[in-house]
């Protein structure tokens, strides 16, 4: 089962659970969802009316936790730990994974120093083990560990839930992409048309050259034929010189004196 299908099933499961629970029981559902190793999207759970009703109640901290996992990072948790429930180890791991996704949204080259600071990792070996075992093997990112440059080169990263107000910028980004794609398509079509025109021109030029070559061949053939016939006529004419020579070789007739 691929990660998208697994996530879809988990989201459906927790949405149904959240829809039937209230108060502290709903808080337990949120803790379970944010601890689930294969779940990285939480906006559908946030949209459940029962979850929204936690605001202003004694269990409102669970709503804040869910928002943290939908949009926040490990640094956000540390800065607000005094107002949030203590996270269990699985939640800590999950939030650090989500932090890598957030950093990968805008940076395709992540320096080790920054990653260690954002994830509270003390050394490179621990960082690389985390990126390999908890991120790449989990299928949420793909990339290359560059030990020489001390950075992680991101090739792919799963998307996180859209933050409030981010939808407008996402729409604008997609509109810009669509406009660029349209312009590129027009450019490609113009190049195809130009190539077709050049191809037709090349075919016409080649045909003209072939016709000229054929004309030259015919002209040379005709000239050779005329020259050959001329020589044939010259050598076939009767030779008066030979007849004259034959006459000279005959014995002369002796004249008899007249009596």
């Amino acid at each position: 089962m691929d990660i998208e299908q697994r996530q879809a099933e988990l989201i459906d499961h927790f949405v149904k659970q959240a829809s039937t629970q209230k108060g502290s029981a709903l808080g337990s559902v949120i803790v379970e969802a944010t601890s689930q190793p294969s779940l990285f999207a939480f906006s559908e759970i946030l949209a459940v009316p029962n979850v929204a009703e936690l605001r202003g109640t004694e269990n409102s901290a669970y709503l804040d936790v869910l928002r943290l996992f939908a949009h926040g990072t490990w640094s956000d948790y540390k800065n607000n730990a005094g107002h949030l429930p203590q996270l269990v180890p699985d939640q800590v791991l999950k939030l650090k994974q989500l932090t890598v996704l957030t950093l990968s949204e805008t940076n395709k080259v992540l320096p080790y120093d920054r990653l260690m600071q954002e994830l509270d990792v003390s050394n490179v070996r621990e960082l690389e083990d985390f990126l390999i075992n908890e991120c790449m093997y989990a299928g949420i990112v793909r990339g290359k560990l560059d030990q020489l440059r001390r950075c992680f080169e991101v090739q792919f990263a799963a998307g996180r839930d859209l933050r409030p107000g981010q939808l407008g910028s996402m729409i604008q980004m997609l509109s810009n992409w669509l406009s660029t794609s349209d312009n590129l398509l027009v450019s490609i079509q113009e190049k195809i048309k130009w190539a077709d025109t050049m191809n037709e021109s090349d075919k016409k030029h080649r045909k003209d050259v072939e016709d000229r070559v054929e004309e030259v061949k015919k002209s040379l053939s005709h000239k050779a034929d005329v020259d050959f016939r001329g020589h044939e006529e010259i050598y076939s004419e009767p030779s008066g010189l030979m007849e004259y020579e034959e006459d000279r070789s005959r014995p002369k007739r002796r004249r008899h004196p007249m009596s």
Side-chain angles (χ1 to χ4, degrees), residues 29-40:
V29 173
I30 292 174
V31 171
E32 183 183 355
T34 53
S35 301
Q36 169 55 238
S38 300
L39 184 61
F40 297 92

Side-chain angles (χ1 to χ4, degrees), residues 240-253:
L241 178 62
M242 183 173 292
E243 293 178 357
Y244 175 75
E245 290 295 337
E246 289 178 353
D247 290 343
R248 290 185 60 184
S249 63
R250 294 176 182 172
K252 294 181 179 180
R253 297 177 62 183

Side-chain angles (χ1 to χ4, degrees), residues 54-84:
L54 290 175
R55 179 182 300 177
T57 70
E58 59 183 358
N59 295 300
S60 62
Y62 291 108
L63 175 60
D64 296 332
V65 167
L66 190 57
R67 286 173 175 165
L68 174 70
F69 277 79
H71 312 300
T73 65
W74 177 244
S75 294
D76 294 330
Y77 172 73
K78 290 190 300 180
N79 294 333
N80 297 278
H83 307 287
L84 296 171

Side-chain angles (χ1 to χ4, degrees), residues 12 82 84 96 115-117 130 147 172 203 234 246:
D12 183 62
L84 296 171
K96 289 186 177 183
L115 285 169
M116 287 190 290
Q117 179 181 358
F130 176 81
Q147 295 179 334
Q172 183 61 48
K203 287 181 179 179
I234 291 174
E246 289 178 353

